[in-house]
Amino acid sequence: MTDDRDVLRDVWFGRIPTCFTLSQDEITEREVEPYYLLLPRVSYLMLVTDKVKKHFQKVMRQEDVGEMWFEYEGAPLKWHYPIGLLFDLHASNAALPWNVIVHFKNFPETEILHCLTKDAVEAHFMSSIKEADALKHKSQVINEMQKKDHKQLWMGLQNDKFDQFWAINRKLMEYPTEEGGFRYIPFRIYQPLNERPFIQKLFRPVSTEGQALYMISLSLSLSLSLSAYSTLPVFPSLPVIFLVHFTSCPPPIQLAILSMSQCQTYHRKL
């Protein structure tokens, strides 16, 4: 993994310029300007929007402030999706900055989950890590880690600390040389315009003869057109994410799926 450090850093430091605007439905005591942030693609909305919340709440009465949630062009944004995935699902073809609407009332109960504290994000994150490691290492790596390792992994994500995160995450990316790769590649293929939101199945990174398998192998196994999806980088401790029907950055068909899993994965169990 040391040879791929530049790639890992590029994935980690990917940013999306975003403009947060308070919904016109909210009651304020005076006008308030939009709030601008560079959002980390690898993080979650609820980890990086404390300043957004404070900015808008200062013009609102306390009794008018409920749970904060976000929306883009009428679609509530799922906080348990990585920010990069949310952007690519909803706004990959839109002009920047990404224009996100902020709400403090009328929570869409049937469309998104509640997230009252960052503990909920941490629980989701660690669950994703564990699911991915179950596929890659039969949970051996994550189970051998101490509680302080789990906390360092989480704090590295929460505080946007690349070295802190990767000091632990690299363990989840290793495998015995004789095995030639992970047991299975944890991945999901998202289908934004389909009733079935994503596809996932067991997929080995090497053939029964020990040969590395490539993107074209995964595509054929799922009966997908290679021109129909693109990769969305995130944390390699989790699975690779693909988006169907977004073609701005299609992966090379001869790119080894194991390399993608190590260097360009979203940081959760997709």
Side-chain angles (χ1 to χ4, degrees):
M1 293 303 296
T2 54
D3 294 340
D4 298 316
R5 188 174 178 82
D6 289 343
V7 176
L8 300 177
R9 290 185 66 87
D10 286 345
V11 168
W12 182 274
F13 290 105
R15 297 291 187 265
I16 300 171
T18 306
C19 172
F20 291 92
T21 304
L22 188 64
S23 169
Q24 295 182 351
D25 295 335
E26 303 295 339
I27 300 173
T28 61
E29 296 179 331
R30 61 182 185 275
E31 290 188 8
V32 61
E33 295 294 321
Y35 194 87
Y36 292 85
L37 279 177
L38 284 174
L39 298 180
R41 289 180 61 92
V42 300
S43 192
Y44 295 100
L45 281 172
M46 294 307 180
L47 296 186
V48 295
T49 50
D50 285 347
K51 292 181 179 179
V52 175
K53 187 174 184 178
K54 292 177 181 177
H55 175 73
F56 291 121
Q57 284 187 346
K58 68 185 180 183
V59 300
M60 301 176 67
R61 296 178 303 176
Q62 189 61 38
E63 57 266 31
D64 294 325
V65 176
E67 182 178 353
M68 181 173 66
W69 59 281
F70 304 96
E71 163 251 305
Y72 176 73
E73 292 191 345
L77 299 178
K78 295 178 171 61
W79 62 262
H80 59 289
Y81 282 10
I83 291 170
L85 174 58
L86 285 173
F87 175 79
D88 292 334
L89 277 171
H90 296 285
S92 63
N93 295 320
L96 295 174
W98 185 21
N99 292 299
V100 174
I101 304 300
V102 181
H103 296 266
F104 290 97
K105 63 181 181 181
N106 300 324
F107 191 89
E109 301 275 352
T110 61
E111 298 182 73
I112 57 176
L113 302 173
H114 285 282
C115 183
L116 298 176
T117 70
K118 292 179 181 178
D119 290 344
V121 186
E122 180 180 4
H124 170 73
F125 172 75
M126 291 310 303
S127 176
S128 298
I129 292 285
K130 292 174 182 178
E131 288 183 64
D133 196 56
L135 291 172
K136 293 189 294 185
H137 304 115
K138 297 183 180 179
S139 300
Q140 292 176 356
V141 176
I142 194 70
N143 288 342
E144 290 174 1
M145 288 183 180
Q146 299 180 26
K147 187 175 181 179
K148 66 180 180 64
D149 296 326
H150 294 181
K151 183 57 67 173
Q152 179 174 333
L153 195 66
W154 164 248
M155 295 304 294
L157 168 65
Q158 179 174 277
N159 298 326
D160 195 23
K161 301 294 185 182
F162 173 83
D163 291 328
Q164 181 181 10
F165 180 87
W166 268 100
I168 303 300
N169 192 58
R170 63 179 178 79
K171 300 176 184 178
L172 294 161
M173 293 297 101
E174 296 171 348
Y175 54 85
T177 304
E178 63 272 15
E179 293 185 8
F182 303 139
R183 292 176 61 247
Y184 298 103
I185 299 295
F187 76 95
R188 281 184 182 174
I189 294 183
Y190 278 82
Q191 307 177 104
L193 303 179
N194 195 296
E195 290 184 1
R196 183 183 179 189
F198 59 81
I199 299 172
Q200 65 183 59
K201 63 175 290 187
L202 293 177
F203 184 83
R204 295 185 180 276
V206 295
S207 68
T208 53
E209 293 79 24
Q211 300 297 314
L213 295 178
Y214 298 88
M215 284 298 304
I216 190 169
S217 306
L218 176 61
S219 175
L220 291 173
S221 74
L222 297 171
S223 300
L224 291 174
S225 166
L226 280 171
S227 63
Y229 57 85
S230 66
T231 65
L232 306 175
V234 177
F235 299 128
S237 39
L238 304 147
V240 187
I241 294 181
F242 304 99
L243 270 185
V244 176
H245 303 311
F246 284 77
T247 58
S248 58
C249 148
I253 61 173
Q254 292 303 323
L255 180 61
I257 194 67
L258 178 60
S259 296
M260 290 198 63
S261 181
Q262 290 181 303
C263 297
Q264 289 193 311
T265 54
Y266 262 114
H267 65 127
R268 345 308 73 214
K269 167 80 173 77
L270 311 171

